[in-house]
């Protein structure tokens, strides 16, 4: 527990900022206002870059769009208070238009596409003289209602108010399921998909948020300066926004604000030569990249909890919804329906009495390699079904076909009466299938609790706007998720590390977090991909007990891929043996153990290895 | 009325310049996986140095050209040693951002050193056109075109036949594995940047008399980037074709539509390409062999 609480730091800072007009001269107030405006655009960009991990080289372009729209509308008689949000929304829509196609492409192409957008905007501003005034620029008026804001000190309060609101909203986004989804997709896209995160939707959303923030910042920038000209929104300015975010430290809202204030104050420190400041900007930029890649906030990361609000660092909210669940009571059995059950009921209302999971004639090829050859099997409800076979036999491929990460060449996967061909991989979790990954795939930088909460991504009723304003539903939903995730960690016996960064923990605990993350959505079918690999004997035993308990208590079926034969033989109801993508045997453990084909292809080696180690 | 063929040839000069710019980028990308945003400024430094040596200091032309190219090579070595080498192993993203930082710095240094003026450099050779089978050409244009082809040929041979050229491709595929195989990643980085220096220095020197010397001339980098993307970002041949295409398209739209449309057209082409075929319009004919 930290002695200083984040909200205390924030309120002191805000209070000091509010007092600025008292102690500072009007020039200083103007500089502060400018820094606040830049902060808004930088915070938006940080959500896109720091959280969602996408690059945008056109923040100044989006800002220009907001600035010119607002100023144009105001000049044509519309109220500033209406024009500002219109400018912001227009800019957000432009973000959608650029983001939607551009996000299919990655990395440097995205950088180029956004840079081109900013350059086109710049050229349009320069050449569409009838509307933008071209190189001569365009006046931008300050609001006259409810009082006149022509004085800098008065306009400062408008900017401060809007900046505080925008930063507060940004923090709400970041601390919500949206923030978690952004972080997750930045760290691991494949795992994110399996957790039910629609990549395109979330990337586009991050893009829209970022450009909306830029638009609002632009709308304030015009009236602050009093005048708009294309030169303020050149491609170089867009590069400066990247600098600001990197300077403060990616992925921290406070860092973006800090970066903006430092950026704005540099020219005040060096007023000597006109372009000298740009040399300094460039060199600082370079130095940060080389010596301080995580920015100023990176240095403070030890004291991060003082500044940034990260989920789980603060006090635990008491559950607002009561849903009985404890170790003695089976997961998910309750009188009231949890959001998970509602969704699952909805998604497969009719299919409950049909075959549970049926894989039929699935063939999967990678180029010339046949990874799965006409594979068929059935899993009954409530059983533990294991897939075994030598390395490269196609076990993980089979799992990836079931969870829709791979598109099989032919064949069908039917789960509870629904044909899965045509279901997207990010909708699998809603149908009641969740999985763990061979390489664990925990999201770097998130706490154990947050990782597990990502597993609940698809569940909960609150929409984006409710989340942003932290409505009652959103807060309840979030509290429910947090509580449920904690229960899950308790269930796998690692709730003591709930608030630790998951990827810093020992491997065994990471594996359990991965299992908790898959379990938290109360799957009907849990897919475990080599859960015991890399675990100690003791941890392996705990895992076995866990798997048994799961089946007994919840009636959850398990599809297990594992090399540890003790575990496989100990927990499985039935086993399927794969070799070179073909099924060579299927049956109860004792049948498999004595099958000559299996012994030859797979178990034989194991036994020799086993003898050697004995 | 401007002659249509003159326009085409002007477009070809422009295209050649874009193509060399793109080739430098592709070269760096192929060997180091970095997208170099600083290209345009390197070219600008070459042009400014040429102006200072040839016009201000009145050195002989040949010496000025060599010294200008040498200056760009030295700058490239500095960039590689002090900005990019420390970032080997850091996320790729940081290296790309570092070239952005360099772009800002160098452009600002140019403004501080030479001021905002627009300088002109006298042409190296006569601008009277000559005719080859009905097409009017000038020596300037044909020089750019020939230089462009020579560089591409040299690079092609380099990557195909030299040991270090093969090493470079290995480094791009997997830095760690390459290092384990005894390939010096640092050496490859330096060499790539020297080659890039030669390319960008040459283009700066060639461009100075045609387009003039001014602080924002480096923005041509964006065009080089566009050309590289349209060309598929892997093949030198693709870059030349895409460069010529864009150069001609720009010149024509600049005259027949409006000067403002000139730049917008190239960006529109880029966005179209990114939407329809993000891997580039020109198929990877050369890549497969290079």
């Amino acid at each position: 527990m930290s002695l200083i609480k984040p909200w205390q730091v924030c309120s002191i800072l805000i209070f000091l900022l509010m007092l600025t007009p008292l102690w500072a001269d009007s020039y200083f107030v103007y500089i502060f206002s400018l820094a606040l405006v830049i902060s808004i655009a930088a915070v938006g960009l940080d959500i896109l870059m720091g959280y969602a991990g996408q690059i945008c080289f056109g923040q100044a372009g989006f800002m220009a769009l907001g600035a010119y729209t607002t100023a144009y509308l105001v000049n044509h008689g519309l109220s500033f208070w209406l024009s500002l949000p219109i400018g912001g929304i227009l800019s957000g829509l432009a973000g959608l238009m650029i983001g939607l196609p551009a996000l299919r492409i990655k990395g440097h192409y995205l950088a180029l596409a956004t840079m081109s957008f900013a350059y086109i905007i710049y050229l349009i501003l320069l050449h569409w003289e009838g509307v933008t005034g071209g190189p001569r620029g365009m006046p931008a008026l300050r609001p006259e209602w409810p009082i006149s804001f022509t004085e800098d000190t008065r306009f400062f309060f408008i900017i401060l108010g809007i900046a505080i609101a925008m930063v507060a909203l940004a923090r709400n986004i970041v601390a919500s399921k949206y923030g978690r989804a952004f972080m997750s997709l930045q760290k691991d896209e494949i795992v994110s998909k399996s957790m039910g995160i629609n990549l395109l939707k979330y990337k586009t959303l991050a893009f829209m948020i970022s450009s909306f923030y830029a638009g609002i910042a632009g709308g304030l920038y015009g009236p602050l300066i009093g005048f708009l000209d294309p030169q303020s929104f050149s491609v170089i300015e867009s590069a400066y926004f990247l600098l600001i975010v990197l300077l403060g430290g990616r992925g921290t809202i406070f860092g973006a604000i800090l970066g903006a204030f430092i950026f704005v104050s540099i020219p005040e420190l060096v007023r000597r030569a006109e372009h000298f400041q740009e040399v300094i900007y460039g060199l600082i930029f370079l130095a940060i990249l080389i010596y301080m890649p995580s920015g100023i906030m990176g240095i403070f990361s030890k004291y991060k909890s003082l500044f940034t609000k990260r989920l789980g660092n603060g006090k635990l909210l008491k559950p607002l919804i009561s849903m009985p669940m404890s170790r003695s009571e089976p997961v998910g059995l309750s009188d009231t329906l949890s959001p998970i059950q509602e969704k699952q009921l909805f998604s497969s209302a009719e299919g409950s009495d049909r075959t549970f999971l049926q894989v039929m004639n699935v063939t999967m090829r990678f180029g010339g390699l046949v990874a799965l050859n006409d594979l068929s099997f059935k899993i009954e409800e409530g059983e533990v079904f294991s897939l075994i076979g030598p390395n490269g036999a196609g076990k993980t491929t089979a799992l990836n076909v079931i969870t829709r990460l791979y598109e099989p060449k032919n064949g069908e996967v039917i789960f509870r009466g629904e044909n899965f061909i045509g279901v997207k991989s990010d909708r699998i979790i809603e149908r009641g299938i969740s999985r763990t990954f061979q390489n664990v795939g925990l999201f770097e930088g998130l706490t154990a609790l947050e990782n597990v909460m990502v597993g609940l991504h698809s569940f909960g009723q609150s929409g984006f706007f409710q989340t942003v304003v932290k409505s009652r539903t959103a807060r309840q939903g979030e509290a429910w998720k947090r509580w449920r995730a904690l229960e899950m960690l308790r269930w796998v016996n690692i709730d003591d590390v709930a608030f630790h960064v998951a990827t810093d923990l020992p491997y065994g605990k990471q594996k359990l977090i991965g299992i908790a993350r898959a379990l938290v959505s109360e799957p009907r079918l849990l897919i475990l991909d080599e859960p015991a690999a890399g675990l100690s004997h003791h941890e392996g035993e705990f895992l076995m007990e866990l798997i048994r308990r799961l089946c007994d208590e919840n009636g959850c079926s398990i599809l297990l891929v594992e090399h540890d034969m003790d575990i496989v033989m100990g927990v499985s109801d039935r086993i399927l043996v794969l070799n070179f993508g073909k099924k060579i045997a299927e049956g109860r453990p004792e049948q498999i153990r004595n099958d000559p084909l299996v012994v030859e292809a797979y178990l034989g080696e194991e036994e020799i290895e086993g003898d050697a180690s004995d | 009325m401007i002659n249509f063929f003159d326009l085409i040839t002007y477009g070809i000069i422009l295209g050649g310049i874009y193509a060399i710019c793109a080739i430098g980028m592709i070269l760096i990308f192929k060997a180091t996986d970095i997208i170099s945003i600083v290209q345009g400024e390197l070219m600008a430094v070459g042009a400014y140095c040429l102006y200072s040596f040839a016009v201000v200091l009145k050195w002989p032309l040949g010496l000025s050209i060599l010294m200008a190219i040498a200056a760009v090579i030295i700058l490239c070595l500095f960039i590689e040693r002090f900005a990019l080498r420390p970032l080997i192993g850091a996320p790729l993203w940081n290296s790309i951002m570092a070239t952005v930082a360099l772009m800002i710095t160098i452009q600002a240094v140019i403004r501080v050193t030479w001021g905002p003026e627009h300088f002109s450099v006298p042409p190296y050779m006569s601008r009277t056109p000559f005719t080859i089978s009905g097409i009017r050409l000038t020596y300037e244009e044909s020089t750019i075109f020939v230089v462009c082809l020579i560089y591409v040929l040299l690079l092609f041979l380099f990557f195909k036949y030299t040991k270090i050229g093969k090493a470079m491709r290995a480094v791009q595929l997997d830095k760690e594995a390459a290092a384990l195989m005894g390939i010096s990643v640092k050496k490859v980085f330096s060499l790539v940047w020297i080659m890039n220096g030669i390319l960008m220095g040459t283009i700066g020197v060639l461009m100075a008399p045609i387009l003039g010397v001014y602080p924002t001339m480096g923005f041509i980098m964006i065009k080089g980037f566009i050309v590289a993307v349209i060309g598929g970002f892997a093949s030198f041949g693709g870059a030349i074709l895409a460069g010529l295409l864009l150069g001609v398209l720009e010149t024509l739209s600049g005259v027949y539509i409006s000067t403002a449309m000139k730049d917008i057209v190239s960006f529109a082409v880029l966005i179209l390409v990114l939407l329809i075929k993000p891997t580039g319009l020109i198929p990877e004919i050369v890549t497969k062999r290079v």
Side-chain angles (χ1 to χ4, degrees), chain A residues 305-584:
Chain A
S305 57
L306 301 185
F307 297 108
T308 53
K309 182 177 173 186
R310 288 290 302 280
L311 216 85
N313 280 353
K315 60 188 174 199
L316 265 176
L317 287 177
K318 263 194 292 175
L320 295 173
I321 304 172
S322 58
M323 194 195 87
M325 188 181 73
S326 67
R327 229 176 286 203
S328 57
E329 203 160 350
V331 179
L333 275 184
S334 69
D335 299 337
T336 53
L337 282 179
S338 73
I340 298 172
Q341 287 165 325
E342 268 173 32
K343 205 138 194 177
Q344 289 187 349
L345 272 181
F346 175 73
S347 68
S348 53
E350 9 134 32
S352 50
D353 55 2
R354 304 193 195 155
T355 320
F356 187 64
L357 177 81
Q358 188 169 19
V359 173
M360 291 193 299
N361 312 99
V362 167
T363 299
M364 179 81 211
R365 283 173 212 272
F366 297 107
L369 179 84
V370 183
L372 289 178
N373 192 352
D374 201 27
L375 179 70
S376 301
F377 61 87
K378 269 187 192 175
I379 300 180
E380 304 295 337
E381 191 141 21
E383 77 173 338
V384 179
F385 186 88
S386 290
L387 267 181
I388 61 171
N391 286 328
K395 302 179 299 278
T396 300
T397 309
L399 302 189
N400 286 345
V401 167
I402 294 171
T403 53
R404 304 289 303 126
L405 290 174
Y406 290 162
E407 195 67 44
K409 189 167 175 292
N410 46 34
E412 284 183 353
V413 176
I414 292 167
F415 182 65
R416 307 184 77 234
E418 186 184 12
N419 193 339
F420 260 24
I421 306 300
V423 176
K424 289 224 171 89
S425 58
D426 52 38
R427 308 300 296 271
I428 288 296
I429 196 163
E430 291 172 10
R431 306 293 203 274
I433 297 185
S434 66
R435 68 174 293 183
T436 66
F437 291 82
Q438 221 174 82
N439 56 354
V440 195
L442 293 186
F443 302 117
E444 204 185 313
L446 294 184
T447 63
L449 187 71
E450 288 168 326
N451 262 289
V452 177
M453 286 172 81
V454 175
L456 283 170
H457 178 83
S458 301
F459 308 98
Q461 294 94 341
S462 53
F464 180 68
F465 290 102
Q466 285 177 311
T467 309
V468 169
V469 298
K470 267 197 170 176
S471 75
R472 198 178 142 74
T473 331
R475 269 176 301 153
Q476 282 181 346
E478 193 67 10
W480 175 78
K481 281 183 183 179
R482 176 183 300 203
W483 168 69
R484 167 132 187 100
L486 201 66
E487 283 294 307
M488 216 59 249
L489 285 172
R490 194 167 293 152
W491 201 76
V492 295
N493 219 357
I494 47 168
D495 51 328
D496 53 323
V497 293
F499 301 123
H500 292 239
V501 172
T503 40
D504 293 347
L505 293 169
Y507 194 64
K509 292 199 170 170
Q510 290 195 29
K511 286 235 151 176
L512 288 174
I513 295 170
I515 292 176
R517 184 176 63 182
L519 273 179
V520 75
S521 57
E522 291 178 42
R524 291 199 159 91
L525 174 65
L526 174 68
I527 297 179
L528 298 170
D529 195 354
E530 300 200 10
L535 295 192
S536 69
H537 184 69
H538 173 74
E539 288 168 327
E541 278 186 339
F542 177 68
L543 189 79
M544 266 175 78
E545 188 206 317
L546 206 64
I547 294 174
R548 283 208 193 98
R549 226 165 77 197
L550 253 174
C551 280
D552 295 348
E553 291 181 2
N554 309 327
C556 165
S557 315
I558 291 171
L559 173 53
L560 174 70
V561 165
E562 183 51 66
H563 279 296
D564 186 328
M565 279 307 123
D566 287 342
I567 290 187
V568 171
M569 295 298 171
V571 300
S572 306
D573 293 312
R574 284 189 306 132
I575 296 173
L576 186 150
V577 190
L578 272 179
N579 197 17
F580 296 112
K582 270 188 100 83
K583 172 158 85 178
I584 56 172

